[in-house]
mmCIF file of all heavy atoms in Angstrom:
data_model
loop_
_atom_site.group_PDB
_atom_site.id
_atom_site.type_symbol
_atom_site.label_atom_id
_atom_site.label_comp_id
_atom_site.label_asym_id
_atom_site.label_seq_id
_atom_site.Cartn_x
_atom_site.Cartn_y
_atom_site.Cartn_z
ATOM 1 N N GLN A 88 99.798 110.998 86.466
ATOM 2 C CA GLN A 88 99.165 110.697 85.170
ATOM 3 C C GLN A 88 97.668 110.491 85.318
ATOM 4 O O GLN A 88 96.855 110.991 84.548
ATOM 5 C CB GLN A 88 99.764 109.432 84.558
ATOM 6 C CG GLN A 88 101.018 109.715 83.774
ATOM 7 C CD GLN A 88 101.921 108.517 83.765
ATOM 8 O OE1 GLN A 88 102.004 107.768 84.747
ATOM 9 N NE2 GLN A 88 102.605 108.320 82.668
ATOM 10 N N MET A 89 97.334 109.702 86.366
ATOM 11 C CA MET A 89 95.918 109.422 86.604
ATOM 12 C C MET A 89 95.161 110.722 86.858
ATOM 13 O O MET A 89 94.079 110.942 86.307
ATOM 14 C CB MET A 89 95.806 108.491 87.814
ATOM 15 C CG MET A 89 94.401 108.237 88.237
ATOM 16 S SD MET A 89 93.756 106.836 87.390
ATOM 17 C CE MET A 89 93.384 105.823 88.797
ATOM 18 N N ALA A 90 95.745 111.611 87.672
ATOM 19 C CA ALA A 90 95.059 112.873 88.005
ATOM 20 C C ALA A 90 94.795 113.680 86.734
ATOM 21 O O ALA A 90 93.694 114.198 86.536
ATOM 22 C CB ALA A 90 95.906 113.675 88.989
ATOM 23 N N ALA A 91 95.799 113.760 85.865
ATOM 24 C CA ALA A 91 95.624 114.527 84.630
ATOM 25 C C ALA A 91 94.491 113.922 83.797
ATOM 26 O O ALA A 91 93.640 114.642 83.252
ATOM 27 C CB ALA A 91 96.931 114.537 83.838
ATOM 28 N N ASN A 92 94.456 112.600 83.719
ATOM 29 C CA ASN A 92 93.414 111.939 82.927
ATOM 30 C C ASN A 92 92.034 112.065 83.575
ATOM 31 O O ASN A 92 91.026 112.254 82.891
ATOM 32 C CB ASN A 92 93.752 110.458 82.717
ATOM 33 C CG ASN A 92 95.073 110.274 81.990
ATOM 34 O OD1 ASN A 92 95.471 111.116 81.204
ATOM 35 N ND2 ASN A 92 95.776 109.186 82.263
ATOM 36 N N VAL A 93 92.003 111.929 84.908
ATOM 37 C CA VAL A 93 90.733 112.069 85.635
ATOM 38 C C VAL A 93 90.175 113.478 85.420
ATOM 39 O O VAL A 93 88.984 113.650 85.134
ATOM 40 C CB VAL A 93 90.926 111.773 87.151
ATOM 41 C CG1 VAL A 93 89.748 112.293 87.976
ATOM 42 C CG2 VAL A 93 91.093 110.269 87.386
ATOM 43 N N LEU A 94 91.031 114.482 85.517
ATOM 44 C CA LEU A 94 90.571 115.867 85.326
ATOM 45 C C LEU A 94 90.005 116.064 83.922
ATOM 46 O O LEU A 94 88.988 116.734 83.736
ATOM 47 C CB LEU A 94 91.734 116.841 85.566
ATOM 48 C CG LEU A 94 92.057 117.110 87.045
ATOM 49 C CD1 LEU A 94 93.391 117.839 87.183
ATOM 50 C CD2 LEU A 94 90.940 117.940 87.684
ATOM 51 N N LYS A 95 90.646 115.434 82.936
ATOM 52 C CA LYS A 95 90.161 115.564 81.551
ATOM 53 C C LYS A 95 88.763 114.942 81.425
ATOM 54 O O LYS A 95 87.844 115.558 80.893
ATOM 55 C CB LYS A 95 91.162 114.872 80.609
ATOM 56 C CG LYS A 95 90.844 115.005 79.153
ATOM 57 C CD LYS A 95 92.073 114.653 78.309
ATOM 58 C CE LYS A 95 91.781 114.785 76.837
ATOM 59 N NZ LYS A 95 91.284 113.559 76.227
ATOM 60 N N GLY A 96 88.619 113.713 81.930
ATOM 61 C CA GLY A 96 87.331 113.015 81.833
ATOM 62 C C GLY A 96 86.242 113.747 82.602
ATOM 63 O O GLY A 96 85.108 113.893 82.126
ATOM 64 N N PHE A 97 86.569 114.198 83.802
ATOM 65 C CA PHE A 97 85.623 114.919 84.664
ATOM 66 C C PHE A 97 85.119 116.157 83.921
ATOM 67 O O PHE A 97 83.915 116.448 83.886
ATOM 68 C CB PHE A 97 86.342 115.314 85.968
ATOM 69 C CG PHE A 97 85.454 115.554 87.151
ATOM 70 C CD1 PHE A 97 85.446 114.705 88.249
ATOM 71 C CD2 PHE A 97 84.617 116.678 87.176
ATOM 72 C CE1 PHE A 97 84.629 114.934 89.337
ATOM 73 C CE2 PHE A 97 83.805 116.918 88.275
ATOM 74 C CZ PHE A 97 83.809 116.052 89.357
ATOM 75 N N THR A 98 86.044 116.893 83.283
ATOM 76 C CA THR A 98 85.686 118.127 82.575
ATOM 77 C C THR A 98 84.824 117.809 81.354
ATOM 78 O O THR A 98 83.872 118.529 81.056
ATOM 79 C CB THR A 98 86.971 118.869 82.149
ATOM 80 O OG1 THR A 98 87.779 119.040 83.309
ATOM 81 C CG2 THR A 98 86.674 120.230 81.544
ATOM 82 N N GLU A 99 85.144 116.722 80.654
ATOM 83 C CA GLU A 99 84.326 116.341 79.488
ATOM 84 C C GLU A 99 82.904 116.013 79.930
ATOM 85 O O GLU A 99 81.939 116.286 79.233
ATOM 86 C CB GLU A 99 84.938 115.119 78.783
ATOM 87 C CG GLU A 99 86.079 115.513 77.853
ATOM 88 C CD GLU A 99 86.808 114.297 77.294
ATOM 89 O OE1 GLU A 99 86.251 113.182 77.314
ATOM 90 O OE2 GLU A 99 87.958 114.477 76.842
ATOM 91 N N GLU A 100 82.769 115.429 81.115
ATOM 92 C CA GLU A 100 81.441 115.043 81.605
ATOM 93 C C GLU A 100 80.624 116.283 82.002
ATOM 94 O O GLU A 100 79.457 116.376 81.679
ATOM 95 C CB GLU A 100 81.614 114.101 82.809
ATOM 96 C CG GLU A 100 80.349 113.520 83.375
ATOM 97 C CD GLU A 100 79.659 112.524 82.450
ATOM 98 O OE1 GLU A 100 80.336 111.915 81.604
ATOM 99 O OE2 GLU A 100 78.424 112.380 82.579
ATOM 100 N N ASP A 101 81.263 117.194 82.737
ATOM 101 C CA ASP A 101 80.546 118.404 83.175
ATOM 102 C C ASP A 101 81.562 119.502 83.489
ATOM 103 O O ASP A 101 82.128 119.555 84.600
ATOM 104 C CB ASP A 101 79.694 118.083 84.416
ATOM 105 C CG ASP A 101 78.802 119.252 84.820
ATOM 106 O OD1 ASP A 101 79.153 120.410 84.523
ATOM 107 O OD2 ASP A 101 77.747 119.002 85.435
ATOM 108 N N ALA A 102 81.754 120.384 82.516
ATOM 109 C CA ALA A 102 82.816 121.408 82.650
ATOM 110 C C ALA A 102 82.544 122.347 83.819
ATOM 111 O O ALA A 102 83.477 122.751 84.529
ATOM 112 C CB ALA A 102 82.937 122.182 81.341
ATOM 113 N N GLY A 103 81.259 122.685 84.041
ATOM 114 C CA GLY A 103 80.933 123.616 85.129
ATOM 115 C C GLY A 103 81.248 123.016 86.492
ATOM 116 O O GLY A 103 81.873 123.644 87.349
ATOM 117 N N PHE A 104 80.804 121.772 86.676
ATOM 118 C CA PHE A 104 81.043 121.047 87.948
ATOM 119 C C PHE A 104 82.559 120.892 88.155
ATOM 120 O O PHE A 104 83.065 121.023 89.266
ATOM 121 C CB PHE A 104 80.367 119.683 87.839
ATOM 122 C CG PHE A 104 80.038 119.023 89.155
ATOM 123 C CD1 PHE A 104 79.419 119.719 90.182
ATOM 124 C CD2 PHE A 104 80.319 117.666 89.343
ATOM 125 C CE1 PHE A 104 79.103 119.082 91.386
ATOM 126 C CE2 PHE A 104 80.010 117.027 90.532
ATOM 127 C CZ PHE A 104 79.390 117.742 91.552
ATOM 128 N N ALA A 105 83.279 120.648 87.047
ATOM 129 C CA ALA A 105 84.731 120.436 87.124
ATOM 130 C C ALA A 105 85.462 121.707 87.561
ATOM 131 O O ALA A 105 86.506 121.629 88.208
ATOM 132 C CB ALA A 105 85.268 119.968 85.773
ATOM 133 N N MET A 106 84.900 122.878 87.204
ATOM 134 C CA MET A 106 85.541 124.142 87.613
ATOM 135 C C MET A 106 85.542 124.270 89.136
ATOM 136 O O MET A 106 86.422 124.888 89.727
ATOM 137 C CB MET A 106 84.770 125.328 87.028
ATOM 138 C CG MET A 106 84.793 125.387 85.537
ATOM 139 S SD MET A 106 85.975 126.548 84.940
ATOM 140 C CE MET A 106 85.060 128.060 85.207
ATOM 141 N N GLU A 107 84.506 123.693 89.785
ATOM 142 C CA GLU A 107 84.377 123.841 91.245
ATOM 143 C C GLU A 107 85.107 122.725 91.997
ATOM 144 O O GLU A 107 85.106 122.689 93.228
ATOM 145 C CB GLU A 107 82.898 123.761 91.655
ATOM 146 C CG GLU A 107 82.017 124.851 91.094
ATOM 147 C CD GLU A 107 80.549 124.457 91.190
ATOM 148 O OE1 GLU A 107 80.174 123.735 92.134
ATOM 149 O OE2 GLU A 107 79.793 124.834 90.283
#
Side-chain angles (χ1 to χ4, degrees):
Q88 275 152 325
M89 174 90 120
N92 300 331
V93 164
L94 281 168
K95 184 164 180 270
F97 203 111
T98 306
E99 278 172 19
E100 185 68 25
D101 187 333
F104 202 47
M106 296 260 282
E107 297 163 32

